[in-house]
Amino acid sequence: MRQFILILITTLLGDNPLEAEQMVFQARASELNPNAKEYPAIDFTFGTLEKPLDLQHATVDLDVNPRGQLVIWLMAYKPELFERLNQYGLHAIQPHYANKWFSILCQPEPNDGLARGKVRLEAATGDDISPELDLAKPDGMMERARQFLIWLDQENPEANWAQFLTDDQSAIHWDKVIIAGSSHGSTTAARFAKHQEVARVVMLCGPRDQDQDWQALRSKTPAHRFFGFSHVLDRGWADDHYCRSWELLGLHDFGPVINIDDSKPPFQNTRRLTSNADVNDDAKKAHSAVTPGKASPKNDNDEFIYEDVWEYLFTHPVDEIGIAVPEDASCLKIHPPR
């Protein structure tokens, strides 16, 4: 079920209409690698020909000056997001990986403060890390992404997907990768970046794992490369989930929490952004609002109000950092005993 789609889109980026010729690719993980397997016990399956669950997406715009970086998105494919990533000059892919285990493993509660993080890391790497998961290497995000890039290089060499692979195509150049996600995906992105150095981490409505301590582990990716954005009505703020994770990651060393409704880029060069834009007091909508899509608020001209924020998160120079601030004394970082 391999597909190639070339579409012409006209999108409004800020105040400037932009015509963009965006290439959209789709390929099933099960077709790209015969060694890929299914794991029904954690709801990690291929689906059917009629309803594939392992369909992966990749997009690029050859009319935009490339930045030489690849976004690996760890959540469901979002056309509105991928359009913007391509407008920024970024290549983007969404690989199929194990991300439906959350209500199945580490239940009814995790064994310790690292348990969920171990599952996340095994889902991302395919390495034997968690005693609760037995994932083979071809089924980790890293290998599925590599196989996808190899196929993309064959199908679309003019887009130079090969730049993200080593010369022998045995590994991904992770120093050229922006690992990103929303919610569950942003949490896995952050955990993976602790283990593997990447160019940048973008965490939309995340990370969570409020009963975990992996956020404080030594990180291969420098802390100033982590960027977070969430809405204040998101339930992740109710129990200090976001403030806790952001501080354990050390993001307070690079600026205060900035409400983007009252600020403009570069937002004091901070790594922690919030918004209280109108979402009809709906916590679920607030959770989704920070990702481009139908839940994200718009202005009177029917334009997304977070355009500048998304561009900042994915393109702000990582070496431009804000002024360190003290930790928030009201933020509960020690979770209740189990």
Side-chain angles (χ1 to χ4, degrees), residues 229-284:
F229 178 39
S230 62
H231 195 285
V232 296
L233 293 184
D234 186 323
R235 288 197 182 95
W237 283 102
D239 296 315
D240 293 343
H241 302 172
Y242 295 147
C243 75
R244 176 184 185 273
S245 284
W246 287 354
E247 290 192 352
L248 290 178
L249 289 170
L251 305 192
H252 54 286
D253 286 337
F254 314 107
V257 176
I258 293 292
N259 188 307
I260 62 92
D261 306 323
D262 306 317
S263 184
K264 294 181 179 180
F267 306 114
Q268 298 184 39
N269 297 317
T270 191
R271 285 1 186 202
R272 299 179 294 167
L273 299 176
T274 63
S275 171
N276 60 355
D278 183 18
V279 290
N280 298 321
D281 291 325
D282 185 333
K284 289 184 178 180

Side-chain angles (χ1 to χ4, degrees), residues 59-87:
T59 67
V60 65
D61 187 341
L62 297 183
D63 287 343
V64 178
N65 188 36
R67 290 178 175 269
Q69 290 188 320
L70 170 72
V71 176
I72 298 182
W73 175 248
L74 301 186
M75 210 39 160
Y77 173 60
K78 297 285 291 185
E80 301 92 340
L81 171 65
F82 277 55
E83 289 169 9
R84 283 155 179 80
L85 296 177
N86 295 159
Q87 290 162 13

Side-chain angles (χ1 to χ4, degrees), residues 277-306:
D278 183 18
V279 290
N280 298 321
D281 291 325
D282 185 333
K284 289 184 178 180
K285 186 175 181 180
H287 188 63
S288 302
V290 296
T291 305
K294 63 181 181 181
S296 193
K298 295 183 176 182
N299 60 23
D300 293 339
N301 295 321
D302 200 37
E303 301 163 337
F304 287 122
I305 67 173
Y306 296 147

